[in-house]
Every structure is written in structure tokens, then in C-alpha cells.
């Protein structure tokens, strides 16, 4: 059966049931818009994806945990995110803050279930910083209070940009997570120098990487051009990987992929290694996001 919690964004169950405690490490809450109106006029349509839609998605896919990432449409208004974190105890959050944020604001967000701040170095279509996003230039100023509060950094930027900043990322002494596989260019192949440096940084523990293939691949729905990058990351640093969907797939004209199929590709690319599947879906996010091992059975719904 295929469930459609949001029109155009179907969710089927994966062929192989997920292990208990499986986590989607990248989703976005949107709405309901009468309670949580958008702050920034969206450059791309915002799907209606409130807690109820997420619960339907989690139930269909078999996920028990999720990391909710603040979308740029809401900017620094975290009302929808905080509401969702309170409603769903098996979730954690990623917030937005720039260098002007006070320690008390960040402390309140951490108390609400936020475990990270997100930084982006992808320009807006017309140039400049995307509305509602925070550039990597703010990370250095925020790092001391992030370290004190136990927050880590999540970064969405081209692989080349990340490589340039690796010395800085090593020096701040907080965990760093790369969104969307570190954004390698499939056309350059896994031998590309930037991707090879990201592999080494993952292997030596400098970075964590989210395996969200649909933002890298140009060949959906099978995403075969992302498979070599996926396999290389798994071989190099299985203890530093997280599975992520990016549901509900903003900026995808066809509504985005079926998450059940994404999970099937993930499993296929692990070549039947159930231990690796357990590690990436359950153990790694459990350790990084601070989920309680004793509460695996508490479903998101």
C-alpha cells in the first residue's frame, strides 16, 4: 500500500522492515499555516507538512525517530519546530541562529530538544544569502556557546566549500554534520579531489555525513549515479553516517521520491549487511542526537 500524506509525495513501506529505533535524520515541518505562517516569502512553494503528515509518513515507513530541520521559510521563528518537538518526544531539532543570537535563546532551544544549528553556503538564485539561511561565516562566533550547550553544526554547502573550511571545522571542536552527502558532483566521480578529502575527513572523525541521495543524484528514481559515492562513504566511515530523506522534498517539481524506495536503495547498496544498516539507521543517530536507548520502542506516532 502507498500512503500519500501530502499530495504528490507518496510514501510506501520499504521491502525490508526497518530495525527498531530507525531514524530519518533530515525532515522539515511546515504548518499548519494558520498557526505557523511563513516568515519569508518562499522562493519555492512550501508544502503543507505539519505533525500529522509526518506521523503518517513515519507510520508507513516504519521509522521510530526523526531529526526535524528548521526550513528557511521560517527563518529564526522556531514556533512550528518547537511545537513539533514537544508533540513528538522521539524527535530532535536543528535550528537557525546567527552570530547575534544570545546564549539564553540558544539555551532555550536546546531545552526544547534542539541539538544542532544549521549553516548554508548556497547562494540565492539572484545572488547573496538565501532568505532565512545562515552562512558558514557565523559558525566561528557561535562555536563557544554551541560547545557549552552540546550543540553540533549541520552544514549545507558544495563539497569544494567544505574542503576549504576543513581546518576551521577541525579547530572548533564540536561535531560537524554535512547535509546531502557533502554535495559532491556526480559528474566528477568519486576520484574527485574534493570528495576524496571529504572521505578522509569522515574517516578521521572530523565530520559526519547524511546519506540523502536525492539531493545529489540526477538519475531518479534509482539514483544510480549516487551509488558509488554512497558505497565509498560506507566503506570509509560507517560510524560517521546517518540516513536522511529530506522529506517533504522542497524544490522538486515531481513531488519528490517515494521514501520507501529510497530506503530500498539504501539497503541494496549495503549489500545485505544488516549490521551496517543497524549502525547507520539506529546506532549512529542515537549517539549523535542523544536519543535514549531505553526508549526505542516509543513510536513517533
Amino acid at each position: 500500500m502507498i500512503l500519500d500524506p501530502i499530495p504528490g509525495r507518496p510514501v510506501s513501506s520499504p521491502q525490508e522492515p526497518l530495525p527498531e529505533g530507525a531514524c530519518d535524520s533530515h525532515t522539515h515541518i511546515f504548518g499548519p499555516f494558520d498557526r505557523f505562517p511563513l516568515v519569508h516569502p518562499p522562493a519555492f512553494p512550501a508544502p503543507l507538512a505539519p505533525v500529522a503528515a509526518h506521523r503518517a509518513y513515519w507510520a508507513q515507513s516504519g521509522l521510530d525517530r526523526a531529526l526535524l530541520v528548521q526550513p528557511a521559510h521560517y527563518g529564526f521563528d522556531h514556533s512550528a519546530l518547537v511545537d513539533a518537538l514537544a508533540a513528538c518526544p522521539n524527535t530532535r531539532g536543528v535550528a537557525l541562529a546567527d552570530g547575534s543570537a544570545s546564549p539564553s535563546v540558544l539555551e532555550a532551544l536546546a531545552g526544547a530538544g534542539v541539538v544542532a544549528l544549521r549553516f548554508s553556503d548556497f547562494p540565492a538564485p539572484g545572488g547573496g544569502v538565501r532568505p532565512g539561511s545562515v552562512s558558514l561565516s557565523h559558525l566561528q562566533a557561535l562555536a563557544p556557546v554551541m560547545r557549552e550547550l552540546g550543540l553540533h553544526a549541520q552544514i549545507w554547502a558544495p563539497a569544494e566549500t567544505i574542503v576549504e573550511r576543513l581546518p576551521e571545522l577541525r579547530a572548533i571542536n564540536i561535531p560537524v554534520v554535512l547535509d546531502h552527502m557533502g554535495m559532491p558532483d556526480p559528474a566528477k566521480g568519486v576520484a574527485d579531489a574534493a570528495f576524496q578529502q571529504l572521505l578522509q575527513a569522515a574517516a578521521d572523525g572530523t565530520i559526519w555525513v547524511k546519506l540523502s541521495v536525492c539531493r545529489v543524484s540526477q538519475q531518479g528514481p534509482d539514483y544510480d549515479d549516487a551509488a558509488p559515492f554512497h558505497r565509498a562513504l560506507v566503506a570509509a566511515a560507517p560510524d560517521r553516517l546517518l540516513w536522511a530523506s529530506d522529506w517533504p522534498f522542497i524544490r522538486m517539481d515531481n513531488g519528490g521520491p517515494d521514501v520507501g524506495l529510497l530506503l530500498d536503495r539504501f539497503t541494496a547498496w549495503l549489500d545485505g549487511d544488516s549490521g551496517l544498516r543497524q549502525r547507520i539507521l539506529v546506532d549512529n543517530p542515537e549517539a549523535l542526537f542523544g536519543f535514549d536507548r531505553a526508549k526505542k520502542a516509543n513510536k513517533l506516532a
Side-chain angles (χ1 to χ4, degrees):
M1 181 181 73
I2 293 182
L3 179 73
D4 195 358
I6 299 178
R9 290 165 174 80
V11 178
S12 65
S13 299
Q15 293 180 6
E16 183 177 340
L18 302 185
E20 185 181 20
C23 180
D24 184 343
S25 295
H26 199 109
T27 71
H28 302 285
I29 288 282
F30 286 96
F33 296 127
D34 58 342
R35 292 181 59 203
F36 306 114
L38 302 180
V39 172
H40 296 287
F44 307 97
L48 178 61
V51 167
H54 281 255
R55 282 179 169 152
Y57 155 47
W58 296 328
Q60 185 73 11
S61 61
L63 290 156
D64 294 329
R65 296 167 171 167
L67 188 73
L68 310 178
V69 179
Q70 174 80 344
H73 303 68
Y74 282 120
F76 299 144
D77 182 352
H78 295 94
S79 302
L81 176 64
V82 170
D83 179 79
L85 292 172
C88 305
N90 269 18
T91 60
R92 298 291 184 268
V94 179
L96 293 176
D98 61 17
S100 67
S102 68
S104 61
V105 167
L106 297 180
E107 185 176 9
L109 287 169
V114 165
V115 295
L117 300 180
R118 193 186 196 205
F119 303 90
S120 172
D121 264 7
F122 273 100
V129 178
R130 291 175 183 266
S133 64
V134 177
S135 79
L136 263 170
S137 62
H138 291 269
L139 176 56
Q140 194 75 36
L142 287 164
V145 68
M146 292 173 67
R147 192 181 309 115
E148 182 178 344
L149 292 171
L151 301 177
H152 65 267
Q154 301 211 355
I155 298 173
W156 182 45
E160 292 77 10
T161 299
I162 297 165
V163 166
E164 290 172 3
R165 292 185 175 262
L166 279 176
E168 172 189 341
L169 298 179
R170 289 189 173 99
I172 60 175
N173 195 30
I174 61 175
V176 173
V177 180
L178 303 186
D179 288 343
H180 311 324
M181 300 177 73
M183 295 303 296
D185 182 350
K188 295 181 179 179
V190 295
D192 177 62
F195 181 69
Q196 286 297 313
Q197 289 182 67
L198 293 186
L199 277 183
Q200 181 56 50
D204 67 24
T206 299
I207 57 173
W208 298 68
V209 182
K210 294 183 186 180
L211 298 173
S212 40
V213 300
C214 67
R215 289 301 183 192
V216 174
S217 174
Q218 304 298 315
Q219 296 179 3
D222 293 328
Y223 307 108
D224 288 337
D225 57 339
F229 297 90
H230 192 283
R231 292 183 185 278
L233 285 163
V234 170
D239 291 330
R240 285 293 181 270
L241 301 180
L242 309 156
W243 181 83
S245 68
D246 201 22
W247 197 84
F249 307 118
I250 308 160
R251 297 186 294 116
M252 288 193 171
D253 293 339
N254 62 356
D258 179 340
V259 176
L261 298 182
L262 287 177
L263 284 162
D264 289 340
R265 298 305 285 164
F266 165 73
T267 297
W269 293 342
L270 297 180
D271 298 321
D273 191 324
S274 60
L276 280 175
R277 195 169 184 252
Q278 168 76 22
R279 197 180 313 177
I280 296 168
L281 284 174
V282 182
D283 299 340
N284 292 350
E286 184 172 87
L288 182 61
F289 305 147
F291 289 115
D292 188 342
R293 181 177 293 271
K295 296 181 179 179
K296 278 185 186 177
N298 292 349
K299 300 293 183 179
L300 283 160

